[in-house]
Amino acid sequence: MKSLIFLVLSLFFGISYGQDVNSIIKEADLQVASMNDVPAINTYREALKLQPSNLYVLCQCSELCSRIGGRLQHDKKEQADYYAAAKTYASEALQVNSLSSEANFVNALVMGTAALHGSGKEKIDAVKNIKRYADLAIKYDAKNYKAWYVLGKWYYEISNLNYFERTAVKIFYGPLPPASIADAIRCFEKSKAINPRFVLNYLSLAKAYKKNDDQNTARQNLQVMFTLPDKTQDDAGLKNEGRSLLKKWD
């Protein structure tokens, strides 16, 4: 009889526990949708206290920390803290499921941060790992538009290295994989086909087409971007950057 009562109580509290976690996650999702990233990350962290291995929450935390860190140009200490947290969450997500597309995507995102702020061999290793994780993210989910974007960004940045930079990298750290603006455009276009409302992708696609001497298509992508609703805290600033580019190109 005692065992039966214990089983019933366990089932009851187990269901209640699961519902609590789900309600916390829903609240955080709503905060993200409302473009309140800092409150959202704090709410997701409450969910992690109850489910430390929740893959979805770990990936959300990592991506949000990367995004928030990117805005903190005025506070390098706080920025570094957010980037460190993003790396920790991404690593934990990969430990939970190394075959997860989203877990590999957030690791590619973290590597992008390391490439920007690292130095020497660390930076080159990070650059190589961006592509590795982005490729894996696409392998496990070919419709992961954010992974296609990161891969396109990788091709764009690598293709912009001049001869001397490439030679220096090759001498000290080994050759980088081949990359071209055409590769970047292909990946950005793939991302756009999957999610035509991804504001950041239009800005990068416009830059890539401009680099490829196709100013008309570059302008068209910016014009489409201006019509899209803001989905993240960064989107308004990205549109302002696009408007500045149009003036510069006139």
Side-chain angles (χ1 to χ4, degrees):
M1 187 65 178
K2 288 182 179 179
S3 297
L4 179 60
I5 293 172
F6 178 77
L7 176 61
V8 172
L9 288 173
S10 297
L11 288 172
F12 173 78
F13 285 115
I15 292 170
S16 177
Y17 167 85
Q19 289 174 335
D20 286 344
V21 171
N22 290 336
S23 64
I24 292 171
I25 293 172
K26 285 180 181 179
E27 180 184 351
D29 288 344
L30 287 173
Q31 289 169 327
V32 171
S34 300
M35 296 182 284
N36 294 314
D37 289 354
V38 172
I41 190 73
N42 291 331
T43 306
Y44 281 129
R45 283 169 172 160
E46 290 301 313
L48 283 179
K49 291 178 182 178
L50 297 175
Q51 287 186 357
S53 297
N54 187 303
L55 181 63
Y56 171 77
V57 177
L58 287 169
C59 291
Q60 287 291 94
C61 284
S62 181
E63 183 176 355
L64 281 175
C65 283
S66 289
R67 278 165 37 184
I68 294 168
R71 300 181 203 125
L72 296 172
Q73 302 298 326
H74 62 285
D75 191 334
K76 296 301 182 183
K77 172 62 170 62
E78 190 177 7
Q79 182 182 62
D81 290 342
Y82 271 105
Y83 285 154
K87 183 176 181 180
T88 297
Y89 290 128
S91 178
E92 290 176 358
L94 211 57
Q95 289 176 26
V96 172
N97 185 359
S98 62
L99 304 182
S100 161
S101 176
E102 203 65 15
N104 280 281
F105 157 70
V106 292
N107 275 275
L109 203 58
V110 164
M111 288 297 111
T113 301
L116 286 174
H117 298 277
S119 59
K121 189 177 187 301
E122 289 180 352
K123 178 177 286 189
I124 300 303
D125 287 342
V127 166
K128 292 179 178 179
N129 280 323
I130 293 170
K131 187 175 188 302
R132 179 168 71 89
Y133 284 121
D135 283 339
L136 287 170
I138 291 167
K139 175 183 177 181
Y140 299 134
D141 181 5
K143 293 186 177 181
N144 190 329
Y145 68 94
K146 292 180 291 187
W148 279 108
Y149 171 79
V150 169
L151 187 58
K153 186 69 173 174
W154 184 90
Y155 279 123
Y156 180 84
E157 296 297 339
I158 298 303
S159 67
N160 277 334
L161 293 178
N162 61 41
Y163 172 79
F164 296 104
E165 290 170 331
R166 282 182 171 275
T167 301
V169 170
K170 184 175 181 179
I171 290 173
F172 292 104
Y173 307 114
L176 289 169
S180 69
I181 288 294
D183 290 324
I185 290 173
R186 172 179 57 82
C187 293
F188 290 145
E189 287 288 1
K190 183 69 176 180
S191 179
K192 184 170 74 172
I194 298 167
N195 183 1
R197 290 178 171 268
F198 184 23
V199 170
L200 175 59
N201 188 61
Y202 282 92
L203 181 63
S204 294
L205 189 53
K207 291 177 180 178
Y209 273 118
K210 181 66 166 59
K211 188 76 175 178
N212 204 43
D213 296 324
D214 188 348
Q215 187 160 304
N216 286 336
T217 307
R219 287 176 174 274
Q220 289 170 12
N221 276 280
L222 289 179
Q223 294 295 348
V224 172
M225 180 182 74
F226 300 146
T227 68
L228 298 176
D230 293 348
K231 294 290 187 181
T232 77
Q233 283 187 227
D234 300 308
D235 288 351
L238 294 171
K239 290 175 183 177
N240 286 335
E241 184 180 346
R243 293 184 184 97
S244 296
L245 281 178
L246 280 182
K247 291 180 181 179
K248 183 179 178 180
W249 294 345
D250 284 341

